[in-house]
Amino acid sequence: MLSLPHSGPRDASGPARWFLREAWTLTPRGGSARVVALTAAITVVGRDPSAGLVIEHESVSRQHARLDREEERLFITDLKSAMGTHLNGDPVLRAPVRSGDTLTFGAVAYRVDRRSVPHRGRIMALAGALLAIALLAWAVLRTLPVQP
């Protein structure tokens, strides 16, 4: 997948921005766990199997924290966890998260990244519309009389 590092609001503007979407990911620090893409508007973090991000560690509560995507922003909310949620080493109840920050759930840390990636749905919609216009133009041209 094409992925461009996010360096701020000037990455793409105008019409080009329409073809991109923001993707938030969590990368485990010092572990072999997988990188997690935050695709849902709300992701619950915890030991509970129904959590969007399941962390099986004794320092993590069943429903430890919640990550909220609001437009292009990301927020962390602690859900009254026993061992706390930390943003860059500081305890938080609710706070905005930025690319490059470190989130720690109990004793488990993740690096947060935000990237601009192609918005495949919009690209496919545009390609379909262009194909429909081309087919319509072809059909119209076929009905015109041929002149010698």
Side-chain angles (χ1 to χ4, degrees):
M1 172 192 289
L2 174 66
S3 180
L4 308 170
H6 182 75
S7 62
R10 294 183 193 201
D11 279 355
S13 61
R17 188 82 193 128
W18 190 81
F19 292 102
L20 299 174
R21 66 176 175 81
E22 295 301 316
W24 290 94
T25 60
L26 296 178
T27 305
R29 294 238 187 226
S32 60
R34 72 192 194 304
V35 174
V36 177
L38 302 175
T39 56
I42 298 171
T43 302
V44 174
V45 179
R47 286 191 343 264
D48 192 299
S50 67
L53 170 55
V54 178
I55 303 174
E56 297 198 22
H57 192 274
E58 63 272 3
S59 67
V60 177
S61 298
R62 286 188 165 284
Q63 291 194 346
H64 195 98
R66 188 181 71 228
L67 292 157
D68 299 305
R69 285 187 18 222
E70 297 175 9
E71 296 184 20
E72 293 185 6
R73 297 177 55 177
L74 183 67
F75 292 88
I76 182 71
T77 303
D78 184 76
L79 299 177
K80 299 180 181 177
S81 62
M83 299 296 286
T85 300
H86 294 79
L87 176 62
N88 299 322
D90 296 322
V92 294
L93 294 178
R94 179 168 168 83
V97 180
R98 293 173 192 72
S99 186
D101 284 348
T102 298
L103 284 174
T104 308
F105 309 104
V108 182
Y110 287 84
R111 184 185 75 242
V112 179
D113 291 302
R114 177 180 169 192
R115 299 185 179 278
S116 295
V117 297
H119 196 300
R120 294 178 197 265
R122 289 182 177 172
I123 293 170
M124 293 304 291
L126 180 61
L130 291 173
L131 179 60
I133 291 169
L135 288 173
L136 181 61
W138 177 76
V140 167
L141 290 174
R142 282 187 43 139
T143 62
L144 295 176
V146 178
Q147 300 201 4

mmCIF file of all heavy atoms in Angstrom, residues 115-148:
data_model
loop_
_atom_site.group_PDB
_atom_site.id
_atom_site.type_symbol
_atom_site.label_atom_id
_atom_site.label_comp_id
_atom_site.label_asym_id
_atom_site.label_seq_id
_atom_site.Cartn_x
_atom_site.Cartn_y
_atom_site.Cartn_z
ATOM 1 N N ARG A 115 -0.685 8.719 8.827
ATOM 2 C CA ARG A 115 -0.186 8.770 7.455
ATOM 3 C C ARG A 115 -1.329 9.112 6.497
ATOM 4 O O ARG A 115 -2.478 8.778 6.753
ATOM 5 C CB ARG A 115 0.406 7.430 7.056
ATOM 6 C CG ARG A 115 1.581 7.019 7.915
ATOM 7 C CD ARG A 115 2.217 5.746 7.401
ATOM 8 N NE ARG A 115 3.352 5.363 8.193
ATOM 9 C CZ ARG A 115 4.575 5.859 8.056
ATOM 10 N NH1 ARG A 115 4.801 6.777 7.166
ATOM 11 N NH2 ARG A 115 5.561 5.437 8.817
ATOM 12 N N SER A 116 -0.955 9.741 5.413
ATOM 13 C CA SER A 116 -1.900 9.972 4.327
ATOM 14 C C SER A 116 -1.776 8.805 3.366
ATOM 15 O O SER A 116 -0.679 8.501 2.897
ATOM 16 C CB SER A 116 -1.583 11.281 3.605
ATOM 17 O OG SER A 116 -1.772 12.370 4.477
ATOM 18 N N VAL A 117 -2.886 8.134 3.121
ATOM 19 C CA VAL A 117 -2.902 6.983 2.210
ATOM 20 C C VAL A 117 -3.979 7.207 1.159
ATOM 21 O O VAL A 117 -4.907 7.979 1.368
ATOM 22 C CB VAL A 117 -3.151 5.657 2.984
ATOM 23 C CG1 VAL A 117 -2.017 5.380 3.957
ATOM 24 C CG2 VAL A 117 -4.475 5.678 3.699
ATOM 25 N N PRO A 118 -3.854 6.538 0.010
ATOM 26 C CA PRO A 118 -4.860 6.718 -1.042
ATOM 27 C C PRO A 118 -6.255 6.322 -0.550
ATOM 28 O O PRO A 118 -6.415 5.329 0.148
ATOM 29 C CB PRO A 118 -4.395 5.763 -2.150
ATOM 30 C CG PRO A 118 -2.949 5.545 -1.886
ATOM 31 C CD PRO A 118 -2.779 5.636 -0.404
ATOM 32 N N HIS A 119 -7.235 7.122 -0.904
ATOM 33 C CA HIS A 119 -8.641 6.833 -0.577
ATOM 34 C C HIS A 119 -9.190 6.002 -1.730
ATOM 35 O O HIS A 119 -9.714 6.526 -2.712
ATOM 36 C CB HIS A 119 -9.414 8.134 -0.422
ATOM 37 C CG HIS A 119 -10.727 7.965 0.259
ATOM 38 N ND1 HIS A 119 -11.720 7.152 -0.239
ATOM 39 C CD2 HIS A 119 -11.203 8.485 1.411
ATOM 40 C CE1 HIS A 119 -12.766 7.202 0.560
ATOM 41 N NE2 HIS A 119 -12.467 7.998 1.572
ATOM 42 N N ARG A 120 -9.037 4.673 -1.619
ATOM 43 C CA ARG A 120 -9.380 3.775 -2.726
ATOM 44 C C ARG A 120 -10.831 3.910 -3.186
ATOM 45 O O ARG A 120 -11.111 3.834 -4.378
ATOM 46 C CB ARG A 120 -9.086 2.337 -2.331
ATOM 47 C CG ARG A 120 -7.616 2.089 -2.136
ATOM 48 C CD ARG A 120 -7.362 0.658 -1.695
ATOM 49 N NE ARG A 120 -6.044 0.514 -1.142
ATOM 50 C CZ ARG A 120 -4.992 0.118 -1.842
ATOM 51 N NH1 ARG A 120 -5.126 -0.172 -3.100
ATOM 52 N NH2 ARG A 120 -3.818 0.027 -1.262
ATOM 53 N N GLY A 121 -11.755 4.112 -2.271
ATOM 54 C CA GLY A 121 -13.162 4.240 -2.656
ATOM 55 C C GLY A 121 -13.387 5.421 -3.578
ATOM 56 O O GLY A 121 -14.091 5.319 -4.593
ATOM 57 N N ARG A 122 -12.783 6.551 -3.263
ATOM 58 C CA ARG A 122 -12.956 7.734 -4.107
ATOM 59 C C ARG A 122 -12.243 7.583 -5.443
ATOM 60 O O ARG A 122 -12.748 8.024 -6.475
ATOM 61 C CB ARG A 122 -12.439 8.971 -3.373
ATOM 62 C CG ARG A 122 -13.340 9.367 -2.228
ATOM 63 C CD ARG A 122 -12.858 10.601 -1.548
ATOM 64 N NE ARG A 122 -13.781 10.987 -0.491
ATOM 65 C CZ ARG A 122 -13.542 11.937 0.381
ATOM 66 N NH1 ARG A 122 -12.403 12.601 0.334
ATOM 67 N NH2 ARG A 122 -14.423 12.217 1.307
ATOM 68 N N ILE A 123 -11.080 6.965 -5.420
ATOM 69 C CA ILE A 123 -10.353 6.745 -6.667
ATOM 70 C C ILE A 123 -11.154 5.827 -7.587
ATOM 71 O O ILE A 123 -11.274 6.079 -8.794
ATOM 72 C CB ILE A 123 -8.947 6.180 -6.383
ATOM 73 C CG1 ILE A 123 -8.102 7.254 -5.675
ATOM 74 C CG2 ILE A 123 -8.273 5.707 -7.666
ATOM 75 C CD1 ILE A 123 -6.782 6.755 -5.124
ATOM 76 N N MET A 124 -11.731 4.763 -7.022
ATOM 77 C CA MET A 124 -12.535 3.838 -7.826
ATOM 78 C C MET A 124 -13.809 4.517 -8.343
ATOM 79 O O MET A 124 -14.233 4.270 -9.473
ATOM 80 C CB MET A 124 -12.884 2.586 -7.020
ATOM 81 C CG MET A 124 -11.668 1.728 -6.692
ATOM 82 S SD MET A 124 -10.730 1.212 -8.129
ATOM 83 C CE MET A 124 -11.872 0.092 -8.877
ATOM 84 N N ALA A 125 -14.423 5.369 -7.540
ATOM 85 C CA ALA A 125 -15.625 6.088 -7.984
ATOM 86 C C ALA A 125 -15.297 7.007 -9.156
ATOM 87 O O ALA A 125 -16.046 7.069 -10.145
ATOM 88 C CB ALA A 125 -16.224 6.887 -6.825
ATOM 89 N N LEU A 126 -14.178 7.700 -9.076
ATOM 90 C CA LEU A 126 -13.772 8.578 -10.172
ATOM 91 C C LEU A 126 -13.460 7.764 -11.424
ATOM 92 O O LEU A 126 -13.870 8.132 -12.533
ATOM 93 C CB LEU A 126 -12.561 9.415 -9.760
ATOM 94 C CG LEU A 126 -12.030 10.368 -10.823
ATOM 95 C CD1 LEU A 126 -13.097 11.392 -11.209
ATOM 96 C CD2 LEU A 126 -10.773 11.057 -10.346
ATOM 97 N N ALA A 127 -12.755 6.646 -11.270
ATOM 98 C CA ALA A 127 -12.441 5.790 -12.417
ATOM 99 C C ALA A 127 -13.729 5.274 -13.063
ATOM 100 O O ALA A 127 -13.844 5.242 -14.298
ATOM 101 C CB ALA A 127 -11.550 4.626 -11.974
ATOM 102 N N GLY A 128 -14.708 4.877 -12.257
ATOM 103 C CA GLY A 128 -15.992 4.416 -12.789
ATOM 104 C C GLY A 128 -16.724 5.509 -13.544
ATOM 105 O O GLY A 128 -17.297 5.266 -14.611
ATOM 106 N N ALA A 129 -16.713 6.720 -12.995
ATOM 107 C CA ALA A 129 -17.378 7.841 -13.666
ATOM 108 C C ALA A 129 -16.709 8.156 -14.998
ATOM 109 O O ALA A 129 -17.385 8.410 -16.004
ATOM 110 C CB ALA A 129 -17.369 9.074 -12.760
ATOM 111 N N LEU A 130 -15.386 8.129 -15.034
ATOM 112 C CA LEU A 130 -14.670 8.387 -16.289
ATOM 113 C C LEU A 130 -14.957 7.304 -17.324
ATOM 114 O O LEU A 130 -15.127 7.601 -18.514
ATOM 115 C CB LEU A 130 -13.168 8.507 -16.037
ATOM 116 C CG LEU A 130 -12.731 9.750 -15.258
ATOM 117 C CD1 LEU A 130 -11.246 9.670 -14.917
ATOM 118 C CD2 LEU A 130 -13.041 11.017 -16.037
ATOM 119 N N LEU A 131 -15.033 6.072 -16.875
ATOM 120 C CA LEU A 131 -15.362 4.977 -17.788
ATOM 121 C C LEU A 131 -16.776 5.157 -18.352
ATOM 122 O O LEU A 131 -17.007 4.971 -19.551
ATOM 123 C CB LEU A 131 -15.241 3.631 -17.073
ATOM 124 C CG LEU A 131 -15.573 2.400 -17.908
ATOM 125 C CD1 LEU A 131 -14.658 2.294 -19.121
ATOM 126 C CD2 LEU A 131 -15.490 1.151 -17.059
ATOM 127 N N ALA A 132 -17.725 5.533 -17.494
ATOM 128 C CA ALA A 132 -19.100 5.754 -17.949
ATOM 129 C C ALA A 132 -19.161 6.882 -18.973
ATOM 130 O O ALA A 132 -19.853 6.776 -19.997
ATOM 131 C CB ALA A 132 -20.009 6.066 -16.758
ATOM 132 N N ILE A 133 -18.422 7.951 -18.757
ATOM 133 C CA ILE A 133 -18.396 9.075 -19.712
ATOM 134 C C ILE A 133 -17.788 8.618 -21.036
ATOM 135 O O ILE A 133 -18.300 8.946 -22.113
ATOM 136 C CB ILE A 133 -17.616 10.270 -19.117
ATOM 137 C CG1 ILE A 133 -18.412 10.877 -17.956
ATOM 138 C CG2 ILE A 133 -17.303 11.322 -20.187
ATOM 139 C CD1 ILE A 133 -17.645 11.886 -17.130
ATOM 140 N N ALA A 134 -16.713 7.839 -20.971
ATOM 141 C CA ALA A 134 -16.069 7.349 -22.199
ATOM 142 C C ALA A 134 -17.022 6.446 -22.980
ATOM 143 O O ALA A 134 -17.123 6.548 -24.210
ATOM 144 C CB ALA A 134 -14.780 6.608 -21.859
ATOM 145 N N LEU A 135 -17.738 5.561 -22.287
ATOM 146 C CA LEU A 135 -18.693 4.671 -22.962
ATOM 147 C C LEU A 135 -19.845 5.466 -23.575
ATOM 148 O O LEU A 135 -20.300 5.154 -24.682
ATOM 149 C CB LEU A 135 -19.215 3.618 -21.992
ATOM 150 C CG LEU A 135 -18.213 2.529 -21.606
ATOM 151 C CD1 LEU A 135 -18.784 1.644 -20.504
ATOM 152 C CD2 LEU A 135 -17.837 1.705 -22.825
ATOM 153 N N LEU A 136 -20.320 6.471 -22.874
ATOM 154 C CA LEU A 136 -21.388 7.313 -23.403
ATOM 155 C C LEU A 136 -20.910 8.059 -24.650
ATOM 156 O O LEU A 136 -21.626 8.119 -25.662
ATOM 157 C CB LEU A 136 -21.861 8.298 -22.332
ATOM 158 C CG LEU A 136 -22.989 9.233 -22.728
ATOM 159 C CD1 LEU A 136 -24.242 8.440 -23.088
ATOM 160 C CD2 LEU A 136 -23.284 10.208 -21.607
ATOM 161 N N ALA A 137 -19.709 8.607 -24.612
ATOM 162 C CA ALA A 137 -19.163 9.314 -25.771
ATOM 163 C C ALA A 137 -19.005 8.356 -26.951
ATOM 164 O O ALA A 137 -19.341 8.701 -28.098
ATOM 165 C CB ALA A 137 -17.822 9.950 -25.418
ATOM 166 N N TRP A 138 -18.538 7.144 -26.682
ATOM 167 C CA TRP A 138 -18.387 6.142 -27.733
ATOM 168 C C TRP A 138 -19.746 5.801 -28.350
ATOM 169 O O TRP A 138 -19.886 5.716 -29.564
ATOM 170 C CB TRP A 138 -17.724 4.898 -27.154
ATOM 171 C CG TRP A 138 -17.588 3.767 -28.126
ATOM 172 C CD1 TRP A 138 -16.685 3.650 -29.141
ATOM 173 C CD2 TRP A 138 -18.393 2.592 -28.156
ATOM 174 N NE1 TRP A 138 -16.884 2.471 -29.810
ATOM 175 C CE2 TRP A 138 -17.925 1.790 -29.222
ATOM 176 C CE3 TRP A 138 -19.459 2.126 -27.391
ATOM 177 C CZ2 TRP A 138 -18.484 0.574 -29.540
ATOM 178 C CZ3 TRP A 138 -20.012 0.905 -27.708
ATOM 179 C CH2 TRP A 138 -19.534 0.144 -28.767
ATOM 180 N N ALA A 139 -20.771 5.621 -27.503
ATOM 181 C CA ALA A 139 -22.107 5.284 -28.000
ATOM 182 C C ALA A 139 -22.674 6.424 -28.847
ATOM 183 O O ALA A 139 -23.295 6.183 -29.889
ATOM 184 C CB ALA A 139 -23.040 4.975 -26.837
ATOM 185 N N VAL A 140 -22.470 7.655 -28.437
ATOM 186 C CA VAL A 140 -22.957 8.812 -29.202
ATOM 187 C C VAL A 140 -22.238 8.891 -30.533
ATOM 188 O O VAL A 140 -22.858 9.123 -31.584
ATOM 189 C CB VAL A 140 -22.790 10.117 -28.382
ATOM 190 C CG1 VAL A 140 -22.997 11.341 -29.266
ATOM 191 C CG2 VAL A 140 -23.736 10.115 -27.202
ATOM 192 N N LEU A 141 -20.926 8.699 -30.530
ATOM 193 C CA LEU A 141 -20.157 8.768 -31.778
ATOM 194 C C LEU A 141 -20.549 7.672 -32.752
ATOM 195 O O LEU A 141 -20.519 7.875 -33.966
ATOM 196 C CB LEU A 141 -18.656 8.707 -31.487
ATOM 197 C CG LEU A 141 -18.079 9.947 -30.796
ATOM 198 C CD1 LEU A 141 -16.628 9.725 -30.425
ATOM 199 C CD2 LEU A 141 -18.220 11.175 -31.695
ATOM 200 N N ARG A 142 -20.948 6.527 -32.262
ATOM 201 C CA ARG A 142 -21.385 5.417 -33.135
ATOM 202 C C ARG A 142 -22.685 5.734 -33.843
ATOM 203 O O ARG A 142 -22.966 5.215 -34.920
ATOM 204 C CB ARG A 142 -21.569 4.140 -32.325
ATOM 205 C CG ARG A 142 -20.273 3.461 -32.005
ATOM 206 C CD ARG A 142 -20.508 2.153 -31.357
ATOM 207 N NE ARG A 142 -21.599 1.435 -32.044
ATOM 208 C CZ ARG A 142 -21.604 0.166 -32.298
ATOM 209 N NH1 ARG A 142 -20.614 -0.568 -31.924
ATOM 210 N NH2 ARG A 142 -22.616 -0.425 -32.907
ATOM 211 N N THR A 143 -23.536 6.583 -33.241
ATOM 212 C CA THR A 143 -24.837 6.896 -33.853
ATOM 213 C C THR A 143 -24.733 8.015 -34.888
ATOM 214 O O THR A 143 -25.681 8.228 -35.640
ATOM 215 C CB THR A 143 -25.844 7.317 -32.767
ATOM 216 O OG1 THR A 143 -25.374 8.496 -32.123
ATOM 217 C CG2 THR A 143 -26.064 6.205 -31.759
ATOM 218 N N LEU A 144 -23.619 8.723 -34.930
ATOM 219 C CA LEU A 144 -23.464 9.788 -35.905
ATOM 220 C C LEU A 144 -23.228 9.198 -37.285
ATOM 221 O O LEU A 144 -22.537 8.182 -37.432
ATOM 222 C CB LEU A 144 -22.287 10.691 -35.523
ATOM 223 C CG LEU A 144 -22.433 11.489 -34.234
ATOM 224 C CD1 LEU A 144 -21.155 12.262 -33.953
ATOM 225 C CD2 LEU A 144 -23.622 12.435 -34.319
ATOM 226 N N PRO A 145 -23.795 9.834 -38.309
ATOM 227 C CA PRO A 145 -23.587 9.316 -39.687
ATOM 228 C C PRO A 145 -22.121 9.502 -40.082
ATOM 229 O O PRO A 145 -21.473 10.475 -39.727
ATOM 230 C CB PRO A 145 -24.515 10.161 -40.537
ATOM 231 C CG PRO A 145 -24.809 11.364 -39.732
ATOM 232 C CD PRO A 145 -24.648 10.986 -38.281
ATOM 233 N N VAL A 146 -21.649 8.523 -40.854
ATOM 234 C CA VAL A 146 -20.265 8.584 -41.346
ATOM 235 C C VAL A 146 -20.243 9.438 -42.599
ATOM 236 O O VAL A 146 -21.032 9.213 -43.528
ATOM 237 C CB VAL A 146 -19.748 7.156 -41.642
ATOM 238 C CG1 VAL A 146 -18.340 7.202 -42.198
ATOM 239 C CG2 VAL A 146 -19.848 6.303 -40.417
ATOM 240 N N GLN A 147 -19.371 10.389 -42.646
ATOM 241 C CA GLN A 147 -19.276 11.270 -43.816
ATOM 242 C C GLN A 147 -18.061 10.875 -44.650
ATOM 243 O O GLN A 147 -16.989 10.692 -44.099
ATOM 244 C CB GLN A 147 -19.178 12.714 -43.355
ATOM 245 C CG GLN A 147 -20.411 13.098 -42.544
ATOM 246 C CD GLN A 147 -20.590 14.592 -42.520
ATOM 247 O OE1 GLN A 147 -19.859 15.317 -43.143
ATOM 248 N NE2 GLN A 147 -21.600 15.024 -41.817
ATOM 249 N N PRO A 148 -18.287 10.758 -45.987
ATOM 250 C CA PRO A 148 -17.163 10.332 -46.857
ATOM 251 C C PRO A 148 -16.096 11.375 -47.019
ATOM 252 O O PRO A 148 -16.111 12.469 -46.798
ATOM 253 C CB PRO A 148 -17.831 10.022 -48.186
ATOM 254 C CG PRO A 148 -19.195 10.591 -48.132
ATOM 255 C CD PRO A 148 -19.511 10.889 -46.702
#
